[in-house]
Amino acid sequence: MSICQKTAHELHELLSKKEISATELMQNILLRIDQVEDKVRAFVLKPEQDNASSKAQDMDKILNQGEGPVPLAGLPMVFQDNICTKGIRTTAASKMLENFIPPYSATVAEKMQQAQAILIGKTNLDEFGLGSSTESSFFGPTRNPWNQEYVPGGSGGGTAAAIAADEAVFALGSDILKSAAFCGVVGFKPTYGWVSRYGLVGTSSSLEQIGPVTKDITDCAWVLNELVGRDLKDTVSSEMQKPDFRGFLTGEVRGLKIGLPKEYFAGEMDDEIKALVLAAVKQLESLGAVIEEVSLPQTTYAQSAYQIIAAGEAGSVMGRYEGVRFGYHREDAQDIESHYRLSRSEGFGLAVKRQIILGTHVLSKGNIDTYYMNALKTRTLIRQDFDQAFQKVDLLVSPTCFKPAFKLGGGTENLSYTNPELATMTSSLAGIPAISLPCGFRQGLPVGMQFMGQAFNDGKLLQAAFAYEQEAKWMLNKPNLSGEGQ
């Protein structure tokens, strides 16, 4: 296994024993990016070689003076390009913000800096996170590292692809469950409010959450330890104390009650995906977990509620991009009305325009009660479904996506949120934690399995996921991008 393929905790051990320096690690990562980035196109902002090397050399000086590196010290990492970074371009993959340089950093960016991780680049996503394949990015689509004819999922496709292709050790992104499943890596969406959203360029503030993308579950626990915590800059930030998430990596699931929501295994699910997930559930049962079927009857209405809430929030939030204070603007506009019209019509792509139009419609007088308020009521019912289920079981398990990755240009961009994402929509509506991890392959492409848990019980997800991962070891499989073999 090459240096680039190693996990964060493996690299930490090498750095601790001084068997490798941060500079050597950075050189390996930069070489890897040179080798594979043209095939994957994961980055919006690629690393500047001299700058990245200089940061690594500075880190070596710190490491040589200290008693030993903290867990993430010296590890090259990436942010999805909707996480603000002071002095570094942050585009949200949109022409509207193509040249936007934030005057401040997101709280999670500051936390990673305090953890001594080294930011090397910003990764691609669907424009403003609106999409399911990363094809709506102004900078062009990212490709799935396992087969470059296929999408990496969305909206955080570049983020998951970069980790799958070993172009960074770990990443932070939003809306990353589906792309983690399509790219065969671990994606974690924490309980809403447990990780600060301050500095996230989002469109749906009640649905989006920042989380880690990693190569295995242990790395996920390590990154969560640094991310979770109260932030006074985020009005919905929770005061709930965090545990040491590494303590959940026991490999023990004996007696853990895992629910199978029957609504998630019905309908138009791909047969091979269903078989892989159920085989994984059997494996958990053989380890001592107790499997029980449960029902989440309001699931039927989740997609409609999600679309309406997401559109309503996006329609409101996107009003700030008028090209006056910041963002793309037409300098030759004759008056203020044409300035707004030209700047917004040229600065936004199709997916964003569609979301604004839909959002304006559902929030308009006469429609807000019919659509938006009823969607909020449905959201409450969905949350109550989960509350009742978690009175019977500790966790829920389902496929992360009901359908496999699709070919570039052949997907769902005409409908940004469609059934393959239903399994990830419900956890966002309820604000509960969810994790996606690999559970097999279908025709050479990874398949993801999802655990969902009660709010602030994020550790239990890691417990079950780690136990399965240690048995199945799907994380040892690597895409063949440069002829080095799997």
Side-chain angles (χ1 to χ4, degrees):
M1 180 179 287
S2 72
I3 292 294
C4 298
Q5 292 176 329
K6 292 187 180 297
T7 63
H9 58 94
E10 290 170 339
L11 291 166
H12 170 77
E13 187 173 352
L14 293 177
L15 288 166
S16 299
K17 294 178 177 176
K18 299 191 185 303
E19 293 179 8
I20 188 174
S21 67
T23 303
E24 289 174 293
L25 172 57
M26 185 65 73
Q27 289 170 345
N28 276 272
I29 290 289
L30 294 176
L31 178 61
R32 175 67 177 175
I33 292 171
D34 278 347
Q35 291 172 339
V36 304
E37 176 59 14
D38 284 347
K39 299 175 184 176
V40 180
R41 301 176 188 174
F43 285 88
V44 171
L45 184 64
K46 287 200 291 186
E48 296 176 4
Q49 300 256 351
D50 291 345
N51 186 35
S53 297
S54 176
K55 288 180 180 176
Q57 290 165 7
D58 290 343
M59 183 55 60
D60 276 330
K61 292 176 184 173
I62 295 172
L63 297 180
N64 289 332
Q65 293 171 358
E67 296 179 355
V70 294
L72 303 182
L75 302 182
M77 53 95 56
V78 292
F79 290 154
Q80 196 163 295
D81 201 26
N82 59 349
I83 295 176
C84 283
T85 43
K86 184 178 181 179
I88 301 173
R89 198 161 58 103
T90 301
T91 70
S94 175
K95 182 178 180 179
M96 178 61 76
L97 294 179
E98 183 181 7
N99 298 307
F100 174 60
I101 299 178
Y104 67 97
S105 285
T107 296
V108 294
E110 292 177 346
K111 283 178 175 282
M112 286 300 103
Q113 189 172 10
Q114 291 162 8
Q116 299 182 348
I118 301 177
L119 175 66
I120 60 169
K122 309 287 289 289
T123 49
N124 203 9
L125 66 155
D126 282 299
E127 184 179 9
F128 282 101
L130 296 173
S132 57
S133 64
T134 320
E135 291 176 285
S136 71
S137 168
F138 172 66
F139 302 99
T142 294
R143 299 174 184 278
N144 193 313
W146 293 89
N147 185 333
Q148 289 91 67
E149 293 183 0
Y150 285 78
V151 302
S155 60
T159 310
I163 302 308
D166 297 312
E167 295 183 87
V169 179
F170 70 93
L172 300 186
S174 65
D175 194 13
I176 39 74
L177 293 177
K178 180 177 182 180
S179 48
F182 279 8
C183 292
V185 294
V186 174
F188 196 98
K189 182 173 67 65
T191 297
Y192 187 80
W194 224 3
V195 171
S196 172
R197 297 183 66 264
Y198 178 76
L200 174 67
V201 183
T203 58
S204 305
S205 59
S206 76
L207 298 169
E208 297 162 330
Q209 182 65 289
I210 297 173
V213 179
T214 59
K215 296 179 181 181
D216 69 5
I217 303 299
T218 303
D219 282 8
C220 186
W222 281 37
V223 179
L224 277 176
N225 268 356
E226 305 298 334
L227 283 182
V228 171
R230 174 83 164 140
D231 180 18
L232 295 177
K233 297 175 184 172
D234 182 352
T235 55
V236 298
S237 179
S238 171
E239 295 181 353
M240 182 74 76
Q241 292 296 308
K242 68 175 179 181
D244 182 345
F245 290 102
R246 293 173 298 183
F248 291 93
L249 308 180
T250 63
E252 181 59 69
V253 291
R254 197 171 304 279
L256 193 70
K257 292 183 178 178
I258 300 178
L260 282 175
K262 63 180 183 182
E263 290 82 3
Y264 287 63
F265 290 87
E268 298 179 358
M269 182 189 297
D270 180 88
D271 289 339
E272 291 183 58
I273 291 176
K274 182 177 182 179
L276 286 167
V277 173
L278 290 178
V281 171
K282 278 285 183 191
Q283 206 160 356
L284 285 162
E285 191 171 28
S286 72
L287 295 172
V290 179
I291 310 301
E292 180 180 336
E293 184 178 88
V294 297
S295 178
L296 300 170
Q298 304 301 328
T299 300
T300 305
Y301 310 108
Q303 185 180 348
S304 298
Y306 187 100
Q307 284 182 292
I308 291 169
I309 293 170
E313 293 183 0
S316 175
V317 167
M318 302 307 283
R320 75 181 67 169
Y321 300 103
E322 80 288 71
V324 175
R325 289 166 292 180
F326 58 89
Y328 172 80
H329 61 278
R330 274 285 295 265
E331 295 183 355
D332 59 346
Q334 299 300 311
D335 51 46
I336 190 65
E337 184 178 338
S338 60
H339 172 86
Y340 287 155
R341 187 176 66 253
L342 291 172
S343 297
R344 287 169 66 82
S345 63
E346 294 176 6
F348 290 136
L350 179 62
V352 176
K353 292 174 185 172
R354 184 171 54 220
Q355 197 77 339
I356 292 172
I357 292 170
L358 178 58
T360 303
H361 177 70
V362 302
L363 293 181
S364 62
K365 185 178 180 181
N367 286 327
I368 187 167
D369 288 336
T370 305
Y371 296 109
Y372 192 71
M373 299 310 291
N374 277 328
L376 293 181
K377 292 174 184 174
T378 303
R379 180 182 207 168
T380 300
L381 294 174
I382 290 169
R383 191 176 294 136
Q384 289 172 352
D385 267 1
F386 280 111
D387 289 342
Q388 290 172 10
F390 289 130
Q391 290 178 7
K392 300 177 182 175
V393 297
D394 299 303
L395 300 173
L396 298 169
V397 64
S398 76
T400 310
C401 302
F402 299 152
K403 299 289 184 183
F406 46 87
K407 284 193 172 184
L408 286 159
T412 60
E413 285 312 306
N414 290 327
L415 290 169
S416 294
Y417 304 105
T418 52
N419 272 332
E421 294 179 273
L422 179 60
T424 61
M425 288 177 181
T426 51
S427 60
S428 294
L429 284 167
I432 60 175
I435 187 172
S436 177
L437 72 159
C439 69
F441 287 83
R442 179 194 181 279
Q443 298 178 12
L445 290 169
V447 170
M449 172 174 65
Q450 175 184 235
F451 290 110
M452 295 175 282
Q454 203 166 14
F456 302 108
N457 265 334
D458 302 42
K460 270 201 167 57
L461 305 185
L462 296 173
Q463 181 183 345
F466 181 75
Y468 172 73
E469 180 191 73
Q470 294 307 298
E471 286 293 310
K473 297 192 182 299
W474 292 111
M475 74 289 196
L476 298 179
N477 293 269
K478 294 287 182 181
N480 186 355
L481 280 161
S482 55
E484 76 274 32
Q486 295 188 17

